[in-house]
Amino acid sequence: AFHFRDCSDAAGNSAGCMYFTFPSAFFVFEDFLARKWSSEKRFGLEGCEVLIPALKTMIDKSSAAGIDSVIMGMPHRGRLNVLANVIRKDLDQIFCQFDPKLEPADEGSGDVKYHLGMYHERINRETDKNITLSLMANPSHLEAVDPVVQGKTKAEQFYRGDTQGKKVMSILIHGDAAFAGQGVVYETFHLSELPSYTTHGTIHVVVNNQIGFTTDPRVARSSPYPTDVARVVNAPIFHVNADDPEAVMYVCRVAAEWRATFNKDVVIDLVCYRRFGHNEMDEPMFTQPLMYKQICRQEQVLKKYSNRLIAEGVVTLQDFEEEVSKYDKICEEAYTSSKDGKILHIRHWLDSPWPDFFTAEGEPKSMSGVSTGLHEEVLQHISQIASSVPLEGFHIHPGVSRILRGRADLVKNRQMDWALGEYMAFGSLLKDGIHVRLSGQDVERGTFSHRHHVLHDQELDKLICVPMNHLWADQAPYTVCNSSLSEYGVLGFELGFAMASPNALILWEAQFGDFNNTAQCIIDQFISPGQAKWVRNNGIVLLLPHGMEGMGPEHSSARPERFLQMSKDDPDHFPVYFEVQQLYECNWIVVNCSTPANYCHVLRRQILLPFRKPLIIFTPKSLLRHPDARSSFDDLAEGTTFKRLIPDEGPASQNPAQVKRVIFCTGKVYYELARERKRQKLERDIAIIRLEQISPFPFDLVRAEAERYGNAELVWCQEEHKNMGYCDYVRPRFLTVVANQKPIWYVGRDPAAAPATGNKSTHLNELKRFMDTAFNLNAFQGKDL
Ligand SMILES: Cc1ncc(C[n+]2csc(CCOP(=O)(O)OP(=O)(O)O)c2C)c(N)n1
Ligand SMILES: *[C@@H]1O[C@H](CO)[C@@H](O)[C@H](O)[C@H]1NC(C)=O
Ligand SMILES: *[C@@H]1O[C@H](CO)[C@@H](O)[C@H](O)[C@H]1NC(C)=O
Ligand SMILES: *[C@@H]1O[C@H](CO)[C@@H](O)[C@H](O)[C@H]1NC(C)=O
Ligand SMILES: *[C@H]1O[C@H](CO)[C@@H](O)[C@H](O)[C@H]1NC(C)=O
Ligand SMILES: CC(=O)N[C@H]1CO[C@H](CO)[C@@H](O)[C@@H]1O
Ligand SMILES: [Mg+2]
């Protein structure tokens, strides 16, 4: 083994030199890849190879301090080297990735080699303790993985009762340009000390090669150091010369000790260079000619350091050469074995396996006969807690007290509103031992003041009561946390949290649905394609409140069209399977529920499913208090389930052959349509049917309804403008349902650039105009689509 010297301990004594050992593998690895695959992109680490022993040193030191699980996030540069020599993934599986002929043996479309994650449990040689290392899969989008790593770390700490971060920790590796440039770095730092988000200290390592692709630091940032962003949390920052391995190891030990002692973030700035271009195909002399003339003259750090040790007589040249050729041989052997009949398993690249969850392989179990309903006693108990203050002598605000009395009045009639429907879902899952975590801006009270999950004593400062945690003696914990004012960081965090365990309902609520675009990278890069790229389930729930209430262009639409456009179900294909199989095959579930009971059912179904899928729920504003948008306890009784579609149950349904028009719609606009139909006394002529689950599309139920009302015209009605909302998603699927026999007419607002007008009277005019069309039985006669 090759030796590194430690001539001073953390206290600064340099009395005697201590030698500690590890193989020179990491230096040789990049050479090996370069030799075998000279024209492949691998984002080599040359110029900063010292990163590998640096990480090992931090991990060894942390393991000695009691850490047994390390969760890491890193960009492209040096990733394969980290996988091979820090995580210690099997080399032949890494080399397999270079073989273009190999098809992955799992479902999913896969990802490029320098994005995949990995999970490995092994013995730490230095400390002889078990340690679990995971490197999270990530997209190209630099730094996007930072909050995801933090969320997953937090979740592991939470489920293990590691309240001080003494067992589980995170390490984040960054590039200098990305660390300075990407705002999510700042957002992640700001989560680092918040009670519900802290991971009790992260070690950050910046591979500071003083270049970002082709861009020099002087035009890439305004701060002197790339690491200055860490100063916002007063983190110590060590700038160290990466060509001086002893200094680097020293700094790494200090950083690990700092983290173990103070449980706060710490940053190491590894000042290095990038020997080649941005990737192996790239010519750096085009843009940095003088710098690269200098770099060419730099001796490889391994050479430099080994020459010094040989000169000092610490090792012999022979020792050194033996060491290098030993590792080369290991690589060669793995290379050979990767060639003969190896199969590429993306499954081997899972960063968060759930071994107890996926016991049976293959097809998911049927959900038929599985009810998401609840026993009357459970409903009564939850609603009683939801409408009272479970702490004696608590001074509650009179306004909140009025809200709780309002809930109690509803409950007397076995009725529930939106907030109570949510209570039923959370409360009943907690009873079954499912942890529920709701995070987002102002979620505790609720943006629209309907939720009130945290009550504040009006006389004693900081005395709070969370009734949801007083439901049952042996319930799972409920976490509700107002987040920092960030979407990108916080949604990424919750996504990471949801990766840790399938037995938890993790929800992120946007203040308003349209703010989700600040988190778009997490949605586009992780949530929508996550399972396809990384064969990983995730059951995160997004609550996106919005509504066309005449309040202007913002907050009127959470842009369902964007989510629907990314849904992968085929518009032209009538599926063979529904319910569970259809859900199993989709990339996410998109719903716009119109009743509190259905909202409760869909949240419960999320956990009762035998797999996990992201769930996007468009949640209402005005329906929170709408007197018609209520459900009876009967709608949640035992035996009931989530309704993907709610058929018309009025006079139209009694005589379907006489019905002239069927209006399909979703969500809140239903109540406006129902009111107008009543006013115009058209209840026999027009049926109104609600799609509650938009995607995957309930082809089967829509077909049954279309056939039931065989003589009727079909209409899709939405409040959103024509180029928005559900129209473009729904229309081709309707045509598949009716086999192109009938048109599906559009009723709604005209196309527009902004989601809604800022003029209240224009808003009302638009509403009146499309309501008139919806109920004018001659509207489409003689018209073309
Ligand atoms: C969010 C984002 N924007 C742009 C890119 C394109 N890109 C890939 S690597 C790179 C340069 C990164 O420089 P640095 O962070 O210093 O890392 P290095 O490659 O030098 O290790 C850029 C701009 C990206 N991957 N992600
Ligand atoms: C490490 O884990 C293995 C398997 O879980 C266990 O058998 C072994 O005793 C553990 N070793 C130590 C040193 O804790
Ligand atoms: C659901 O879709 C309808 C139909 O356009 C719309 O009125 C409503 O705002 C959407 N969201 C909710 C939460 O109902
Ligand atoms: C709003 O629109 C109405 C007509 O729809 C118009 O008369 C009125 O002037 C507009 N108000 C503003 C403030 O633009
Ligand atoms: C989220 O909301 C915004 C609307 O403001 C939209 O632009 C964005 O595309 C939405 N959807 C996704 C999938 O990010
Ligand atoms: C009003 C307020 O700040 N409420 C809470 C926000 O969230 C934290 C937990 O993350 C609570 O401790 C606060 O009481
Ligand atoms: Mg760089």
Side-chain angles (χ1 to χ4, degrees):
F2 192 52
H3 299 255
F4 269 89
R5 268 187 316 194
D6 177 12
C7 286
S8 54
D9 60 26
N13 306 319
S14 53
C17 287
M18 187 170 86
Y19 294 91
F20 57 103
T21 58
F22 45 76
S24 57
F26 37 91
F27 293 110
V28 182
F29 182 74
E30 301 285 352
D31 281 351
F32 183 82
L33 294 184
R35 240 185 300 130
K36 292 290 183 207
W37 294 279
S38 56
S39 62
E40 274 277 338
K41 273 195 212 172
R42 64 188 156 84
F43 295 103
L45 197 53
E46 289 94 339
C48 198
E49 292 99 327
V50 79
L51 175 69
I52 306 296
L55 290 174
K56 267 208 81 242
T57 302
M58 278 170 217
I59 292 168
D60 291 346
K61 195 83 191 164
S62 300
S63 162
I67 293 288
D68 61 22
S69 174
V70 179
I71 299 166
M72 292 190 273
M74 76 176 294
H76 47 281
R77 188 155 318 283
R79 194 173 174 104
L80 296 175
N81 205 328
V82 168
L83 282 169
N85 295 309
V86 178
I87 312 267
R88 292 180 179 276
K89 172 150 197 68
D90 295 340
L91 290 175
D92 53 4
Q93 274 289 322
I94 295 181
F95 298 157
C96 263
Q97 287 274 309
F98 284 90
D99 189 340
K101 291 190 298 294
L102 278 180
E103 290 275 327
D106 323 79
E107 84 273 20
S109 49
D111 201 348
V112 293
K113 49 192 168 296
Y114 41 85
H115 285 168
L116 293 169
M118 176 62 202
Y119 170 93
H120 198 187
E121 265 181 75
R122 62 178 177 84
I123 290 278
N124 183 284
R125 295 212 195 120
E126 271 321 296
T127 56
D128 251 343
K129 291 183 185 169
N130 278 336
I131 189 152
T132 304
L133 299 173
S134 54
L135 177 65
M136 306 279 283
N138 60 258
S140 253
H141 296 53
L142 294 167
E143 307 292 346
V145 80
D146 300 357
V148 184
V149 167
Q150 299 301 59
K152 188 177 167 203
T153 307
K154 181 73 185 175
E156 275 201 25
Q157 291 174 345
F158 182 85
Y159 296 125
R160 292 181 54 180
D162 179 18
T163 55
Q164 304 296 312
K166 297 292 180 201
K167 298 271 165 220
V168 186
M169 72 176 279
S170 56
I171 298 180
L172 288 177
I173 299 144
H174 315 266
D176 55 321
F179 197 62
Q182 291 291 310
V184 70
V185 172
Y186 177 89
E187 291 184 31
T188 306
F189 269 113
H190 268 291
L191 295 176
S192 70
E193 302 203 15
L194 307 183
S196 300
Y197 302 85
T198 178
T199 56
H200 308 283
T202 300
I203 305 183
H204 297 265
V205 185
V206 178
V207 174
N208 182 1
N209 52 19
Q210 309 174 70
I211 192 163
F213 205 161
T214 66
T215 304
D216 289 329
R218 66 204 150 93
V219 291
R221 60 169 194 264
S222 298
S223 59
Y225 295 101
T227 48
D228 282 346
V229 58
R231 297 174 65 180
V232 297
V233 294
N234 279 324
I237 301 168
F238 298 97
H239 307 280
V240 58
N241 176 3
D243 262 2
D244 183 345
E246 288 174 13
V248 173
M249 300 316 131
Y250 176 71
V251 155
C252 290
R253 285 192 300 276
V254 177
E257 269 179 43
W258 165 274
R259 194 273 167 197
T261 312
F262 300 108
N263 286 106
K264 288 187 185 281
D265 282 28
V266 47
V267 179
I268 297 174
D269 178 12
L270 276 181
V271 185
C272 59
Y273 58 90
R274 187 187 73 193
R275 180 169 293 279
F276 303 114
H278 176 61
N279 62 55
E280 289 61 34
M281 310 290 92
D282 223 76
E283 173 54 81
M285 295 292 267
F286 288 163
T287 49
Q288 272 79 15
L290 298 188
M291 181 181 184
Y292 272 83
K293 273 185 201 146
Q294 292 280 346
I295 287 176
C296 282
R297 285 199 285 270
Q298 294 295 315
E299 201 178 15
Q300 203 196 14
V301 61
L302 174 64
K303 264 265 151 36
K304 224 184 202 168
Y305 188 56
S306 57
N307 285 346
R308 208 176 100 198
L309 292 189
I310 292 164
E312 287 173 16
V314 178
V315 286
T316 65
L317 178 63
Q318 195 191 352
D319 288 344
F320 171 68
E321 281 170 352
E322 265 170 24
E323 190 59 38
V324 168
S325 66
K326 201 165 85 195
Y327 187 71
D328 221 44
K329 203 163 140 239
I330 296 175
C331 288
E332 282 294 347
E333 277 163 14
Y335 176 73
T336 314
S337 98
S338 81
K339 287 280 157 199
D340 47 63
K342 267 284 162 186
I343 311 165
L344 183 60
H345 283 288
I346 304 180
R347 258 179 214 296
H348 287 178
W349 297 83
L350 264 180
D351 53 23
S352 330
W354 293 337
D356 301 332
F357 185 65
F358 292 109
T359 40
E361 285 286 319
E363 301 288 288
K365 291 187 293 266
S366 162
M367 282 277 284
S368 70
V370 179
S371 166
T372 41
L374 293 164
H375 197 280
E376 179 75 16
E377 264 172 40
V378 174
L379 293 172
Q380 287 294 346
H381 180 70
I382 297 174
S383 52
Q384 190 258 322
I385 298 284
S387 48
S388 61
V389 187
L391 285 187
E392 295 270 339
F394 196 85
H395 306 98
I396 188 172
H397 189 278
V400 177
S401 171
R402 211 163 34 242
I403 289 170
L404 298 186
R405 272 201 309 279
R407 282 183 190 166
D409 290 341
L410 277 178
V411 170
K412 264 188 232 130
N413 301 317
R414 298 182 67 254
Q415 292 267 307
M416 67 190 119
D417 60 7
W418 204 268
L420 270 171
E422 187 177 79
Y423 236 107
M424 300 296 189
F426 291 5
S428 59
L429 291 172
L430 293 170
K431 179 170 188 286
D432 297 339
I434 302 295
H435 170 228
V436 178
R437 175 177 164 105
L438 172 63
S439 156
Q441 293 150 27
D442 306 292
V443 292
E444 299 179 7
R445 189 199 71 172
T447 300
F448 314 105
S449 203
H450 67 293
R451 186 177 282 133
H452 294 282
H453 282 185
V454 179
L455 309 177
H456 293 261
D457 193 286
Q458 297 295 305
E459 285 170 21
L460 289 165
D461 190 29
K462 298 203 178 93
L463 180 62
I464 57 167
C465 170
V466 181
M468 197 80 81
N469 274 323
H470 294 263
L471 285 166
W472 286 278
D474 53 353
Q475 70 172 81
Y478 175 54
T479 311
V480 57
C481 37
N482 294 338
S483 74
S484 75
L485 211 169
S486 141
E487 285 82 25
Y488 190 175
V490 175
L491 178 58
F493 188 96
E494 300 310 331
L495 181 79
F497 205 107
M499 281 172 192
S501 163
N503 299 318
L505 183 70
I506 310 300
L507 308 99
W508 174 75
E509 183 174 72
Q511 182 123 77
F512 287 102
D514 46 0
F515 289 124
N516 82 83
N517 57 356
T518 325
Q520 187 147 358
C521 175
I522 299 293
I523 298 172
D524 288 351
Q525 263 55 46
F526 290 85
I527 300 183
S528 169
Q531 188 175 351
K533 294 201 291 193
W534 307 316
V535 289
R536 166 174 66 201
N537 274 226
N538 195 300
I540 188 155
V541 181
L542 269 60
L543 302 178
L544 303 176
H546 70 136
M548 300 281 280
E549 328 271 11
M551 305 301 282
E554 258 66 67
H555 316 334
S556 288
S557 171
R559 300 293 201 147
E561 67 275 13
R562 304 275 175 83
F563 290 93
L564 292 172
Q565 189 213 15
M566 281 194 271
S567 298
K568 76 165 222 213
D569 68 332
D570 186 345
D572 304 323
H573 175 68
F574 196 96
V576 194
Y577 301 107
F578 288 97
E579 299 207 78
V580 175
Q581 185 69 30
Q582 202 193 11
L583 294 175
Y584 183 68
E585 282 166 13
C586 71
N587 57 326
W588 56 21
I589 305 165
V590 180
V591 303
N592 180 345
C593 300
S594 66
T595 69
N598 228 18
Y599 175 48
C600 175
H601 279 301
V602 80
L603 290 175
R604 287 181 48 74
R605 184 181 75 172
Q606 190 68 354
I607 292 300
L608 289 175
L609 284 174
F611 49 85
R612 294 289 172 260
K613 286 285 166 181
L615 170 64
I616 317 293
I617 310 186
F618 296 111
T619 57
K621 293 196 307 194
S622 62
L623 294 195
L624 299 175
R625 297 186 173 80
H626 198 298
D628 296 338
R630 289 196 180 139
S631 299
S632 153
F633 280 20
D634 295 336
D635 300 324
L636 272 186
E638 280 183 310
T640 56
T641 53
F642 173 68
K643 293 193 170 96
R644 288 179 292 147
L645 173 149
I646 304 184
D648 195 307
E649 281 157 2
S653 67
Q654 265 123 52
N655 213 339
Q658 303 296 311
V659 169
K660 302 198 178 68
R661 177 176 294 172
V662 184
I663 302 179
F664 288 88
C665 67
T666 185
K668 162 195 160 249
V669 76
Y670 166 76
Y671 294 96
E672 273 139 21
L673 288 167
R675 196 182 54 200
E676 186 62 17
R677 176 176 65 174
K678 192 165 176 200
R679 200 181 67 77
Q680 298 200 25
K681 303 203 169 52
L682 286 170
E683 281 141 308
R684 293 181 181 287
D685 305 288
I686 296 184
I688 307 178
I689 294 168
R690 283 172 267 178
L691 254 64
E692 302 277 305
Q693 178 177 299
I694 322 285
S695 181
F697 193 72
F699 288 92
D700 54 336
L701 302 180
V702 171
R703 174 173 281 177
E705 294 298 312
E707 283 171 357
R708 181 136 80 117
Y709 300 99
N711 302 324
E713 290 177 329
L714 306 181
V715 165
W716 174 258
C717 178
Q718 67 178 28
E719 285 191 294
E720 291 83 354
H721 290 279
K722 195 173 183 178
N723 54 327
M724 304 170 195
Y726 309 86
C727 171
D728 286 340
Y729 177 83
V730 157
R731 184 178 273 156
R733 288 169 176 79
F734 264 94
L735 294 180
T736 300
V737 162
V738 298
N740 289 315
Q741 286 156 6
K742 268 188 192 181
I744 166 91
W745 299 100
Y746 168 77
V747 170
R749 288 179 163 85
D750 292 337
T757 169
N759 179 327
K760 185 92 185 191
S761 80
T762 308
H763 169 82
L764 294 172
N765 285 341
E766 288 171 353
L767 180 64
K768 178 167 187 315
R769 202 158 350 124
F770 84 74
M771 281 292 156
D772 287 349
T773 315
F775 294 101
N776 173 0
L777 288 172
N778 299 319
F780 306 116
Q781 269 162 27
K783 284 215 172 164
D784 287 336
L785 262 183

